Amino acid sequence: MIRINILLLILAAFLSSSNTHALVSDFCVADLSRSVSPAGYACKKPPLTVNDFVFSNFKAGNTSNFLNAALNPAFVDQFPGINGLGLSAARLDLDAGGVVPIHSHPGASELVIILQGRITVGFISTDNTVYQKTLMKGDIIVIPQGLLHFQLNAGGNRASAVLTFSSTNPVAQLVDVALFGNNLDSGLVARTTFLDLAQVKKLKAVFGGRG
Amino acid sequence: MIRINILLLILAAFLSSSNTHALVSDFCVADLSRSVSPAGYACKKPPLTVNDFVFSNFKAGNTSNFLNAALNPAFVDQFPGINGLGLSAARLDLDAGGVVPIHSHPGASELVIILQGRITVGFISTDNTVYQKTLMKGDIIVIPQGLLHFQLNAGGNRASAVLTFSSTNPVAQLVDVALFGNNLDSGLVARTTFLDLAQVKKLKAVFGGRG
Amino acid sequence: MIRINILLLILAAFLSSSNTHALVSDFCVADLSRSVSPAGYACKKPPLTVNDFVFSNFKAGNTSNFLNAALNPAFVDQFPGINGLGLSAARLDLDAGGVVPIHSHPGASELVIILQGRITVGFISTDNTVYQKTLMKGDIIVIPQGLLHFQLNAGGNRASAVLTFSSTNPVAQLVDVALFGNNLDSGLVARTTFLDLAQVKKLKAVFGGRG
Amino acid sequence: MIRINILLLILAAFLSSSNTHALVSDFCVADLSRSVSPAGYACKKPPLTVNDFVFSNFKAGNTSNFLNAALNPAFVDQFPGINGLGLSAARLDLDAGGVVPIHSHPGASELVIILQGRITVGFISTDNTVYQKTLMKGDIIVIPQGLLHFQLNAGGNRASAVLTFSSTNPVAQLVDVALFGNNLDSGLVARTTFLDLAQVKKLKAVFGGRG
Amino acid sequence: MIRINILLLILAAFLSSSNTHALVSDFCVADLSRSVSPAGYACKKPPLTVNDFVFSNFKAGNTSNFLNAALNPAFVDQFPGINGLGLSAARLDLDAGGVVPIHSHPGASELVIILQGRITVGFISTDNTVYQKTLMKGDIIVIPQGLLHFQLNAGGNRASAVLTFSSTNPVAQLVDVALFGNNLDSGLVARTTFLDLAQVKKLKAVFGGRG
Amino acid sequence: MIRINILLLILAAFLSSSNTHALVSDFCVADLSRSVSPAGYACKKPPLTVNDFVFSNFKAGNTSNFLNAALNPAFVDQFPGINGLGLSAARLDLDAGGVVPIHSHPGASELVIILQGRITVGFISTDNTVYQKTLMKGDIIVIPQGLLHFQLNAGGNRASAVLTFSSTNPVAQLVDVALFGNNLDSGLVARTTFLDLAQVKKLKAVFGGRG
């Protein structure tokens, strides 16, 4: 019995951190209520349980809407356990006719992993080449960081995909929402996009923008 | 018509790279036949097509083996389009009784996204706490970088998962293979693991090790 | 005299690299003709001269065009000395009525430093807030990485700015060019942007797109 | 009208962060009064305005001094909006005879963009090569990270430059100040620089050092 | 005298940070009592002294134990001055027969610098190659990040080494402790390691594990 | 026997890389004869041996010189196995009166680990504070990245230290060599350092500079 205690004591000396500070290198579960820095959220204080590392709502959302689409994110705000670890996920469901409008993720690359159905995915590079393909179960496409891209249900049935990202908070910027869903002046939008003013005003009405 | 040409010319001036060098910042598809640096493979030269960004074999592998398990990686060697983008994926299938032995991924964190069935996933932190849970469809668990972990089929039917990683080549180090599948001297293994020599020799035989 | 030689010899021992390999840590001027990796271009071999670190064409471009605008980049393809150093610059000139259409720089933040005239700069965050202001000489605005933004001459005379970026190749993605300047199918553009098909076709004609 | 509300609701689901935590990935304006970590300052809490991203004092400083020089920094302490974004700027003005003494920026590379006049810029690499040139409007020189360098007005009139850096706080270490402007023992300075003790004491008097 | 004051005033303008915030870029001594983020500990507030940068207990530990080994870490929890600087050290002493069992450092590479005696060091790569050698004074071996490795006294006298790491908190994960020193179910350990259940239970008793 | 082969085959499927490309994530031993990129040297092609990871000349150099000092580097050019791993080491020996003149390591932090004797180490921060202490065996001091520092033998006997760095090639920039050991014009040195011209010329003669 003495042998056990001594041996454990010795081995413990090889474990560099006390329990209090062990989080520094193994992981850093986000404490969403505390301060944020450029590196992410402050770490939750011990004790932790396995549930700090589990996200349990990775299910299809409600697609009964005009986009016939649902996105269910497991980003750091929903899944604090990934804080500081550089990856996240989301589930995408597209009913027949479903679409994810053109958007980008500033600073995050994305894998689209098809689970069922057929999805047309396209991205445009900065030298203005279109990379587009209709994918089905067993296919993955990578969207390099920050590039504009879209997803469309290419079949007659529901299509689903797992999305994974190289960032813990790969917030999307949708072109429509950025242009038409806020208080940007309509004339300014027309000037900086070459869209007709009437088109801008029409979409401002759809997306709830002012000005 | 002249208007079109001039406008394009002007806008083109805002696109900073010539076609030849556009890969520097948008993406860098691996040329597996060329040199490797600490940052990854050298970039494939243009022209590229959408298939450079697509992996089309993300399917269940053959689980008719002693592990009742199959892992199908989409890492940079199988999926050159992810080179330099910091993420990858793999598909895991576990038949009844299936197991992924204890292993780690040096330098990569992992998400285990359950697709079907029930999988027990556990990891051990460096302060020697066990974080373990049986997960089912709709659950995700994160395995922080470099920590020892395992997966077990916890039900009577096939279980499947999408694995994603924060690295383009999250090679696994299996403890069994490292200890018993090479030419490490059996006595040395016993000394550095406290296993009985007979146990070491027995597993050396199973895993094909010498010495 | 002997003293000099010995002293130099000793001090030289503190300079860790031979001349051949000194580039590893001080700098890595791009050899644009050689291989590219995710970390940038391969380094130019010695000897180097000061001109490898100088860009001598940082002047106003020709603004006699429909945008009344000129952008003159000093990115890594024009200025190989910045390879691997994480920053670059460009000069922007806007005549009366000049505009830089809405665009983003995937993965690079930007400073807009006004030299003369008045420029309205705006960016939209992913929570859809517009940050917009008319700036003059003595003002700087920062555009966080990857966000959509625009610049407009807000006065009656020429306006000029120095732009700097947190990347050696901050290639721009212009929304107009991405949507209307390539072979993306017009119907698909309409579906993924909610623009009227007629509007899409009209701008396809302007920006030279097909399909 | 109902259409609008539903559509916005759906699109909003694609924006991953609530307003409260949106700062995690878009930007992180420094709250200078809160804690600092190795990654920078803690983020300012919302609401933010465009002025959080604007610096409005980028003007020539007073050059009526012994250096005939003025440096006006827009670093993170003066310009909190750049926190975490990896770049900053400064304005340099040199009257006739003006000089910026030999210094380095630990960990930051620098671009010197000449606005007017003639400036001689030089840096010394660790293999002890001097890279030096007299620059004028339209020229940029890059100073690789951490290397000793200097700037001198090379003409008879005022010379000005925009400096940009690959860091949000590229604090300078001036050799003179480090050697002669503090309480380093004069004998120790002499021993570690090979300067004559009289020279050390003379400059200690000039730069206000003690010891 | 006036000259001194003016000159200092001018030079001070080139030092970008006020004293209050100077820590942002020079260093960030850990305040172990404050919040932790993925980038490390919050910075200790000034004033600082040289002792904040000094660790004074880098001595041989007590090797009178079953491992005949002692490890004395100078990691961030013992040496707050290294916070954010990406390196640390430890002293290893092995008496005759001493051993450091198989372990890994998630995310840190290691140099083993032999001071005295003879030490056999080995690591196993993920392609299952063993790299092993007996080293003596004047030898260094590098252990690439995250790989399983071990150290053994290969002589009849005390052997000592300086260990250095590419991380401020290179906590070790010992295979024995992870498998046998906690509450992992013995049957589960057997299934995920292929060890005999009796062997598992025997070592559970030695290492104090339960279950 | 069949069991062994099948089991190995299955486990092999979990090892993601073929032998050919296994270097991508485990390690990247420098091939000093091939191309260099900002991330380091290209990787040596297999086969590798343990000697690729061992440096065998970590011994005291010859201190019979004017500095009474010897530095023996194990940087990437001498120790190719550390390429891409972010750390290196050097051995420093100082005889009585020995000195390492004021210098900096652009972009690398340093630990000075005293082995024997007494060494005075000092560094100066950018807010011009001197951090200086005389250290002996059992002491470590950290020199934050890029700051000017020096080492002096503070006793009557030989003093030795292990230096470790957070970079694979922490080349030093010695102030004396940079100012007086090259072809920088003496007048220019005087202007940018405020040293007397006679002092500059005197040290130019000592350090072999021209001009």
Side-chain angles (χ1 to χ4, degrees):
Chain A
M1 277 310 107
I2 286 170
R3 177 179 172 177
I4 297 174
N5 291 341
I6 292 177
L7 188 54
L8 275 177
L9 212 68
I10 301 315
L11 286 171
F14 287 81
L15 303 169
S16 67
S17 286
S18 66
N19 285 351
T20 313
H21 298 306
L23 305 187
V24 171
S25 67
D26 273 8
F27 41 71
C28 173
V29 176
D31 181 341
L32 299 180
S33 70
R34 293 172 69 214
S35 68
V36 189
S37 80
Y41 288 97
C43 308
K44 185 176 176 181
K45 292 182 181 168
L48 300 174
T49 75
V50 67
N51 290 325
D52 285 303
F53 301 94
V54 172
F55 175 78
S56 296
N57 189 32
F58 202 64
K59 298 168 183 167
N62 183 355
T63 58
S64 299
N65 54 56
F66 270 86
L67 294 173
N68 294 311
L71 187 98
N72 184 10
F75 298 169
V76 70
D77 286 337
Q78 295 84 34
F79 189 6
I82 59 176
N83 187 45
L85 299 180
L87 80 175
S88 60
R91 182 181 164 114
L92 173 67
D93 290 90
L94 296 169
D95 275 342
V99 56
V100 182
I102 289 213
H103 65 287
S104 67
H105 305 281
S109 293
E110 174 181 351
L111 297 184
V112 182
I113 304 171
I114 312 297
L115 296 180
Q116 64 176 337
R118 294 164 55 83
I119 303 181
T120 299
V121 183
F123 70 86
I124 301 112
S125 63
T126 57
D127 68 353
N128 207 25
T129 303
V130 178
Y131 296 92
Q132 176 183 334
K133 192 169 188 176
T134 298
L135 306 169
M136 51 190 176
K137 191 178 175 184
D139 291 337
I140 305 178
I141 189 168
V142 58
I143 313 289
Q145 60 178 352
L147 298 180
L148 288 169
H149 60 289
F150 59 86
Q151 289 109 340
L152 285 170
N153 189 332
N157 301 307
R158 167 165 294 210
S160 302
V162 167
L163 312 180
T164 69
F165 301 90
S166 63
S167 153
T168 59
N169 201 17
V171 282
Q173 180 153 56
L174 285 96
V175 169
D176 279 314
V177 176
L179 295 178
F180 310 121
N182 49 46
N183 62 346
L184 262 183
D185 177 76
S186 294
L188 189 151
V189 174
R191 276 186 73 192
T192 59
T193 61
F194 297 94
L195 295 173
D196 294 337
L197 186 59
Q199 174 77 88
V200 172
K201 287 182 178 294
K202 181 176 172 182
L203 287 172
K204 280 262 182 180
V206 173
F207 286 93
R210 298 167 304 287
Chain B
M1 278 309 104
I2 286 170
R3 178 180 171 175
I4 298 173
N5 292 341
I6 291 178
L7 187 53
L8 276 176
L9 212 69
I10 301 314
L11 286 171
F14 287 82
L15 303 169
S16 68
S17 286
S18 65
N19 285 351
T20 312
H21 298 307
L23 305 186
V24 171
S25 67
D26 273 8
F27 41 70
C28 173
V29 175
D31 182 341
L32 299 180
S33 69
R34 293 172 68 213
S35 67
V36 189
S37 81
Y41 288 97
C43 309
K44 186 177 176 181
K45 291 181 182 169
L48 300 173
T49 74
V50 68
N51 290 325
D52 285 303
F53 300 94
V54 173
F55 176 77
S56 296
N57 189 33
F58 201 65
K59 298 168 183 166
N62 183 356
T63 57
S64 301
N65 54 57
F66 269 86
L67 294 173
N68 294 311
L71 187 97
N72 184 10
F75 298 169
V76 69
D77 286 337
Q78 295 83 34
F79 189 7
I82 60 175
N83 187 46
L85 299 182
L87 80 177
S88 61
R91 182 181 164 114
L92 172 67
D93 290 89
L94 295 169
D95 275 344
V99 57
V100 182
I102 288 213
H103 65 288
S104 68
H105 305 282
S109 294
E110 174 181 351
L111 297 183
V112 181
I113 304 170
I114 311 297
L115 296 180
Q116 62 176 337
R118 293 164 57 84
I119 303 181
T120 299
V121 183
F123 69 88
I124 302 112
S125 63
T126 57
D127 68 354
N128 205 25
T129 303
V130 178
Y131 296 93
Q132 176 184 333
K133 192 169 189 177
T134 298
L135 306 168
M136 51 190 175
K137 190 177 173 185
D139 291 337
I140 306 178
I141 190 168
V142 58
I143 315 289
Q145 60 178 350
L147 298 180
L148 288 170
H149 61 287
F150 59 86
Q151 289 110 340
L152 286 170
N153 189 333
N157 301 307
R158 166 164 296 208
S160 303
V162 168
L163 312 180
T164 69
F165 301 90
S166 64
S167 152
T168 60
N169 201 17
V171 282
Q173 180 152 56
L174 285 96
V175 169
D176 280 312
V177 176
L179 295 179
F180 309 121
N182 48 48
N183 62 345
L184 262 183
D185 177 75
S186 292
L188 188 151
V189 173
R191 276 186 73 195
T192 58
T193 61
F194 297 94
L195 295 173
D196 295 337
L197 187 59
Q199 175 75 87
V200 172
K201 286 182 179 292
K202 180 177 174 184
L203 287 172
K204 279 262 182 184
V206 173
F207 288 93
R210 298 167 304 285
Chain C
M1 278 309 106
I2 286 170
R3 177 180 172 176
I4 297 174
N5 292 341
I6 292 178
L7 187 53
L8 276 176
L9 213 66
I10 301 314
L11 287 171
F14 287 81
L15 303 169
S16 67
S17 287
S18 66
N19 285 351
T20 313
H21 298 306
L23 304 186
V24 172
S25 67
D26 273 9
F27 41 70
C28 173
V29 175
D31 182 340
L32 298 180
S33 69
R34 294 172 68 212
S35 68
V36 189
S37 81
Y41 288 97
C43 308
K44 185 177 177 181
K45 292 182 181 168
L48 299 173
T49 74
V50 68
N51 290 325
D52 286 302
F53 301 93
V54 173
F55 175 77
S56 297
N57 189 32
F58 202 64
K59 297 167 184 169
N62 183 355
T63 56
S64 301
N65 53 57
F66 270 85
L67 294 172
N68 293 310
L71 187 97
N72 185 10
F75 299 169
V76 70
D77 286 336
Q78 295 84 35
F79 188 7
I82 59 176
N83 187 45
L85 299 181
L87 80 175
S88 61
R91 182 181 164 115
L92 172 67
D93 291 89
L94 296 168
D95 274 343
V99 57
V100 182
I102 288 213
H103 64 287
S104 68
H105 305 281
S109 293
E110 174 181 351
L111 297 183
V112 181
I113 304 170
I114 312 297
L115 296 180
Q116 63 175 336
R118 294 164 55 84
I119 303 181
T120 299
V121 183
F123 70 86
I124 302 113
S125 63
T126 59
D127 67 354
N128 207 25
T129 303
V130 178
Y131 296 93
Q132 175 183 334
K133 191 169 188 177
T134 297
L135 306 168
M136 51 190 174
K137 190 177 175 185
D139 290 338
I140 306 180
I141 189 169
V142 58
I143 314 288
Q145 60 177 350
L147 298 179
L148 288 170
H149 61 287
F150 59 86
Q151 290 108 340
L152 286 171
N153 189 332
N157 300 308
R158 166 164 294 209
S160 303
V162 168
L163 312 180
T164 70
F165 302 90
S166 63
S167 154
T168 60
N169 202 16
V171 282
Q173 180 153 56
L174 285 94
V175 169
D176 280 313
V177 175
L179 295 179
F180 310 120
N182 49 48
N183 62 346
L184 262 183
D185 177 75
S186 292
L188 189 151
V189 173
R191 277 187 72 194
T192 58
T193 61
F194 298 93
L195 295 172
D196 295 337
L197 186 60
Q199 175 76 88
V200 172
K201 286 182 178 294
K202 180 177 173 182
L203 286 172
K204 279 263 182 181
V206 173
F207 286 94
R210 299 168 303 286
Chain D
M1 278 311 105
I2 286 170
R3 177 180 172 175
I4 298 174
N5 291 342
I6 292 177
L7 187 54
L8 276 176
L9 213 68
I10 302 314
L11 287 170
F14 287 82
L15 304 169
S16 69
S17 287
S18 66
N19 285 351
T20 313
H21 298 308
L23 305 187
V24 171
S25 67
D26 273 8
F27 40 70
C28 174
V29 175
D31 182 340
L32 299 180
S33 70
R34 294 172 67 213
S35 67
V36 189
S37 81
Y41 288 97
C43 309
K44 185 177 176 182
K45 293 182 180 168
L48 300 173
T49 74
V50 67
N51 289 326
D52 285 303
F53 301 94
V54 173
F55 175 77
S56 295
N57 189 31
F58 202 64
K59 298 168 183 166
N62 183 356
T63 57
S64 300
N65 53 57
F66 271 85
L67 294 173
N68 294 311
L71 187 96
N72 184 10
F75 298 170
V76 70
D77 285 337
Q78 295 83 34
F79 188 7
I82 59 175
N83 186 45
L85 299 180
L87 79 177
S88 61
R91 181 179 166 116
L92 173 66
D93 291 90
L94 296 168
D95 274 343
V99 57
V100 182
I102 288 213
H103 65 288
S104 67
H105 306 282
S109 293
E110 174 181 352
L111 296 183
V112 182
I113 303 171
I114 311 297
L115 296 179
Q116 64 176 336
R118 295 164 55 84
I119 303 181
T120 299
V121 183
F123 70 88
I124 302 112
S125 62
T126 57
D127 68 353
N128 207 24
T129 304
V130 178
Y131 296 92
Q132 176 183 335
K133 191 168 188 176
T134 297
L135 306 168
M136 52 189 173
K137 191 179 175 183
D139 291 337
I140 306 179
I141 190 168
V142 58
I143 314 290
Q145 59 178 351
L147 299 180
L148 288 170
H149 61 288
F150 60 85
Q151 289 109 339
L152 285 171
N153 189 334
N157 301 307
R158 167 165 294 209
S160 303
V162 167
L163 312 180
T164 71
F165 301 90
S166 62
S167 152
T168 59
N169 202 16
V171 282
Q173 180 151 57
L174 285 97
V175 169
D176 279 312
V177 175
L179 294 179
F180 310 120
N182 48 48
N183 62 345
L184 263 182
D185 177 77
S186 293
L188 189 151
V189 173
R191 276 187 72 194
T192 59
T193 61
F194 298 93
L195 295 173
D196 295 337
L197 188 59
Q199 174 76 86
V200 172
K201 288 182 178 294
K202 180 176 174 184
L203 287 172
K204 280 261 184 183
V206 173
F207 287 93
R210 297 169 303 286
Chain E
M1 276 310 107
I2 286 171
R3 176 180 172 176
I4 297 174
N5 291 342
I6 292 178
L7 187 53
L8 276 176
L9 213 67
I10 301 314
L11 286 170
F14 287 81
L15 303 169
S16 67
S17 287
S18 66
N19 284 351
T20 313
H21 298 306
L23 305 186
V24 171
S25 66
D26 273 7
F27 40 71
C28 173
V29 175
D31 181 341
L32 299 180
S33 70
R34 292 173 68 213
S35 67
V36 189
S37 80
Y41 287 96
C43 309
K44 185 177 177 181
K45 292 182 181 168
L48 300 172
T49 76
V50 68
N51 290 326
D52 285 303
F53 301 94
V54 173
F55 176 78
S56 296
N57 189 32
F58 202 65
K59 297 168 184 167
N62 184 355
T63 57
S64 300
N65 54 55
F66 270 86
L67 294 173
N68 294 310
L71 186 96
N72 185 10
F75 298 169
V76 69
D77 285 337
Q78 295 84 33
F79 189 6
I82 60 175
N83 187 45
L85 299 181
L87 80 176
S88 62
R91 181 179 165 116
L92 173 67
D93 290 89
L94 296 168
D95 275 342
V99 57
V100 182
I102 289 215
H103 64 288
S104 67
H105 305 282
S109 294
E110 174 180 351
L111 296 183
V112 182
I113 304 170
I114 312 296
L115 296 180
Q116 63 176 335
R118 295 163 56 83
I119 303 181
T120 299
V121 183
F123 70 87
I124 302 112
S125 63
T126 58
D127 68 353
N128 206 24
T129 303
V130 178
Y131 295 93
Q132 176 182 334
K133 191 168 188 175
T134 297
L135 306 169
M136 50 190 176
K137 190 178 175 184
D139 291 336
I140 306 178
I141 190 168
V142 58
I143 314 289
Q145 59 177 352
L147 299 179
L148 288 170
H149 60 287
F150 59 86
Q151 289 109 340
L152 286 170
N153 189 334
N157 301 308
R158 166 162 297 209
S160 303
V162 168
L163 312 180
T164 69
F165 302 90
S166 63
S167 153
T168 59
N169 201 17
V171 282
Q173 180 153 56
L174 284 97
V175 170
D176 279 314
V177 177
L179 295 179
F180 310 121
N182 48 46
N183 62 345
L184 261 183
D185 177 77
S186 293
L188 189 151
V189 173
R191 277 186 72 193
T192 59
T193 61
F194 298 93
L195 295 173
D196 295 338
L197 186 59
Q199 175 76 89
V200 172
K201 286 181 180 293
K202 180 177 174 183
L203 288 173
K204 279 262 183 183
V206 173
F207 286 93
R210 298 168 303 287
Chain F
M1 279 308 106
I2 286 171
R3 178 180 172 176
I4 297 173
N5 291 341
I6 291 178
L7 188 53
L8 276 176
L9 212 67
I10 301 313
L11 287 171
F14 287 81
L15 304 168
S16 69
S17 287
S18 66
N19 285 350
T20 314
H21 298 307
L23 305 186
V24 171
S25 66
D26 272 9
F27 41 70
C28 172
V29 175
D31 182 342
L32 299 180
S33 69
R34 293 173 68 214
S35 68
V36 189
S37 79
Y41 287 97
C43 309
K44 185 177 176 181
K45 293 181 180 168
L48 300 173
T49 75
V50 68
N51 290 325
D52 285 302
F53 301 94
V54 173
F55 176 78
S56 296
N57 189 32
F58 201 66
K59 297 168 182 165
N62 184 356
T63 57
S64 300
N65 52 57
F66 270 85
L67 294 173
N68 294 311
L71 187 97
N72 184 11
F75 299 169
V76 69
D77 286 337
Q78 295 84 33
F79 189 6
I82 59 175
N83 188 44
L85 299 181
L87 79 177
S88 62
R91 182 181 165 114
L92 172 67
D93 290 90
L94 295 169
D95 274 344
V99 57
V100 182
I102 289 214
H103 65 287
S104 66
H105 305 282
S109 293
E110 175 180 350
L111 297 184
V112 182
I113 303 170
I114 311 298
L115 297 180
Q116 64 176 335
R118 294 164 55 84
I119 304 181
T120 299
V121 183
F123 69 88
I124 302 112
S125 62
T126 58
D127 68 353
N128 207 24
T129 304
V130 178
Y131 296 93
Q132 176 184 334
K133 190 167 188 176
T134 297
L135 306 168
M136 51 189 174
K137 191 178 175 185
D139 291 337
I140 306 178
I141 190 169
V142 57
I143 314 289
Q145 59 177 351
L147 298 180
L148 288 169
H149 60 289
F150 59 85
Q151 289 109 339
L152 285 170
N153 190 334
N157 301 308
R158 166 164 297 209
S160 303
V162 167
L163 312 180
T164 70
F165 302 90
S166 62
S167 152
T168 60
N169 201 17
V171 283
Q173 179 152 56
L174 285 96
V175 169
D176 280 314
V177 177
L179 294 180
F180 310 120
N182 49 47
N183 63 345
L184 263 182
D185 177 76
S186 293
L188 188 150
V189 173
R191 277 187 72 193
T192 58
T193 61
F194 297 93
L195 295 172
D196 294 338
L197 187 59
Q199 175 76 87
V200 173
K201 287 181 178 293
K202 180 176 175 184
L203 287 172
K204 280 262 183 184
V206 173
F207 287 93
R210 297 168 303 287

